[in-house]
């Protein structure tokens, strides 16, 4: 048993070969706070927890901790070893929102097992490697609680703080996570996602820098408002529904897109979620993209789910919809 870290020592790791956000996009006081937190990451505790998990599930946990755990499969297996049958339908594919759903299922079982809600991490802390120290805190607490269970001790189920509850009442904090915008330092210096200094990084207006900022500027410069208006009118005429507000905001839940393909080919998307949960909305978008391919849209002409959901490449979204519009009119 190793001493548990306090909540105040939670941090983002700054370690070689580990995916994480590090001090990316931070400067001034924020950069200093993150750097201090990074310095507290405990690789010895990580190794100890990796060994415990390996022995618990009967499979060797190897490689960078974040990469090994980020799809949530190992964590779900671990919880099922501690509480048999507590998690069903573990997703083993590559879809990001489904992997985050695995993580959410694991987190949802921690408080009933005895882990305090203030020792839980948020799904993006692990999936994005944004705060791996918080992940260590949670797993260390889970290990200690499991030790009490093994010895026949009584562990009270814990209540979940409202700050880590989704609107559904499930644990996960996907909606409450504040979006971290990448920002360059005022002097032009920035950090890459490995926490290494990048000198004279060019910051874009949206907070991106370096090659990414240049690519985003090129993408944005090609955005065709005239095409957007034409596609918007086609969607409205097809679905019979008015699209209000910004184009990206009107489409990001995926509901309108699913309604669109269901008008073109009734029943092709069998289940459309009205939920405000991010992974459900991204699932809608993915269902639309799958349906679009049945109309003859090539996979290379499809946008990626995140392009629409985060608005990072609306030009590609327009191209996909324009292709679908033309194909549907043949």
């Amino acid at each position: 048993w190793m001493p548990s870290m306090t909540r105040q020592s939670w941090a983002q790791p700054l370690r070689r070969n580990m995916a994480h956000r590090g001090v990316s996009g931070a400067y001034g006081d924020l950069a200093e706070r993150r750097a201090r937190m990074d310095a507290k990451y405990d690789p010895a505790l990580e190794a100890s927890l990796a060994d415990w998990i390996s022995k618990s599930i009967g499979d060797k946990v190897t490689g960078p901790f974040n990469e090994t755990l980020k799809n949530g499969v190992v964590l779900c297996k671990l919880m099922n070893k501690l509480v048999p049958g507590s998690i069903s339908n573990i997703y083993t594919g590559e879809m990001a929102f489904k992997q985050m759903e695995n993580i959410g299922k694991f987190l949802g079982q921690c408080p009933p097992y005895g882990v305090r809600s203030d020792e839980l991490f948020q799904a993006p802390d692990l999936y994005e490697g944004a705060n791996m120290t918080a992940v260590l805190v949670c797993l260390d607490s889970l290990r200690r609680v499991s030790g009490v269970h093994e010895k026949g001790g009584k562990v009270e189920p814990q209540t979940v703080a409202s700050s880590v509850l989704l609107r559904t009442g499930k644990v996960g904090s996907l909606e409450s996570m504040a979006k971290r915008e990448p920002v360059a330092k005022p002097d032009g210096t920035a950090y890459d996602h490995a926490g290494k200094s990048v000198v004279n990084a060019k910051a874009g207006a949206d907070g991106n820098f370096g090659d990414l900022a240049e690519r985003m500027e090129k993408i944005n410069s090609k955005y065709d408002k005239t095409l957007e208006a034409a596609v918007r009118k086609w969607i409205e005429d097809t679905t019979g529904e008015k699209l209000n507000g910004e184009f990206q905001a009107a489409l990001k839940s995926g509901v309108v897109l699913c309604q669109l393909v269901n008008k073109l080919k009734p029943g092709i998307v069998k289940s459309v979620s009205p939920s405000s949960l991010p992974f459900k909305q991204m699932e809608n978008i993915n269902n639309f993209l799958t349906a679009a391919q049945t109309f003859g849209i090539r996979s290379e002409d499809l946008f990626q789910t995140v392009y629409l959901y985060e608005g990072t490449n609306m030009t590609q979204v327009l191209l996909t919809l324009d292709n679908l519009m033309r194909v549907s009119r043949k």
Side-chain angles (χ1 to χ4, degrees), residues 145-155:
V145 170
S146 73
V148 177
H149 279 289
E150 288 174 3
K151 294 176 181 177
K154 184 178 180 180
V155 180

Side-chain angles (χ1 to χ4, degrees), residues 17-322:
N17 294 330
M18 184 173 295
H20 59 86
R21 295 280 179 179
V23 291
S24 172
Y27 61 87
D29 291 342
L30 177 58
E32 291 174 7
R33 288 198 303 272
R34 288 189 186 175
R36 286 197 298 269
M37 291 167 70
D38 289 343
K40 295 178 181 178
Y41 188 79
D42 190 344
L45 179 57
E46 176 193 304
S48 175
L49 288 168
D51 182 63
W52 170 66
I53 294 172
S54 297
K55 291 177 179 177
S56 297
I57 66 175
D59 288 321
K60 185 70 174 175
V61 174
T62 58
F65 212 41
N66 161 248
E67 293 301 322
T68 302
L69 302 182
K70 70 175 290 184
N71 65 10
V73 173
V74 169
L75 294 180
C76 289
K77 288 181 177 179
L78 173 62
M79 186 56 72
N80 275 341
K81 287 291 184 179
L82 299 177
V83 185
S86 57
I87 298 177
S88 58
N89 300 321
I90 302 173
Y91 177 74
T92 58
E94 299 298 321
M95 295 172 67
F97 65 91
K98 285 290 190 180
Q99 293 180 347
M100 292 184 74
E101 194 172 37
N102 282 344
I103 298 172
K105 288 179 179 179
F106 164 79
L107 291 171
Q109 293 300 320
C110 286
Y113 191 66
V115 178
R116 297 199 320 256
S117 63
D118 64 349
E119 293 183 317
L120 298 176
F121 60 88
Q122 295 183 0
D125 290 343
L126 171 57
Y127 190 80
E128 297 181 358
N131 191 345
M132 286 302 295
T133 299
V135 177
L136 291 190
V137 169
C138 180
L139 291 174
D140 186 39
S141 177
L142 181 63
R143 178 174 58 175
R144 289 185 287 105
V145 170
S146 73
V148 177
H149 279 289
E150 288 174 3
K151 294 176 181 177
K154 184 178 180 180
V155 180
E156 294 291 337
Q158 300 295 302
T159 56
V160 184
S162 59
S163 61
V164 294
L165 280 175
L166 300 177
R167 283 200 280 266
T168 58
K170 295 181 180 179
V171 179
S173 303
L174 294 177
E175 293 179 309
S176 63
M177 176 196 171
K179 185 177 179 181
R180 295 187 179 100
E181 295 289 350
V183 182
K185 290 173 66 176
D187 63 1
T189 303
Y191 294 88
D192 65 12
H193 289 323
K196 296 179 181 179
S197 177
V198 179
V199 180
N200 295 324
K202 178 183 177 182
D206 59 357
N208 295 309
F209 53 86
D211 291 340
L212 177 58
E214 293 176 7
R215 289 199 302 273
M216 289 303 298
E217 287 174 9
K218 289 178 182 177
I219 289 171
N220 292 333
S221 68
K222 293 178 182 178
Y223 192 76
D224 189 338
K225 282 287 188 179
T226 303
L227 179 57
E228 178 195 299
V231 170
R232 179 190 286 261
K233 184 177 185 304
W234 169 65
I235 294 173
E236 291 177 341
D237 290 345
T238 304
T239 63
E241 299 288 340
K242 181 74 173 176
L243 297 185
N244 297 314
E246 292 292 328
F247 198 52
Q248 184 263 343
L251 300 182
K252 72 172 288 187
S253 72
V255 172
V256 170
L257 295 180
C258 290
Q259 290 173 343
L260 173 65
V261 290
N262 274 340
K263 286 288 186 178
L264 299 175
K265 188 178 291 187
I268 191 169
V269 176
K270 293 181 169 45
S271 177
V272 183
S273 174
S275 173
S276 60
L277 294 176
F279 68 87
K280 286 294 186 182
Q281 295 183 344
M282 287 190 280
E283 190 173 39
N284 284 341
I285 297 171
N286 186 70
N287 288 337
F288 161 79
L289 292 171
T290 300
Q293 289 184 287
T294 69
F295 289 88
I297 307 298
R298 299 178 305 175
S299 59
E300 57 265 34
D301 290 330
L302 296 174
F303 62 86
Q304 296 182 21
T305 301
V306 70
Y307 289 172
L308 171 57
Y309 191 79
E310 295 186 355
T312 54
N313 190 343
M314 288 302 294
T315 295
Q316 187 61 45
V317 175
L318 270 189
L319 293 176
T320 298
L321 291 172
D322 182 43

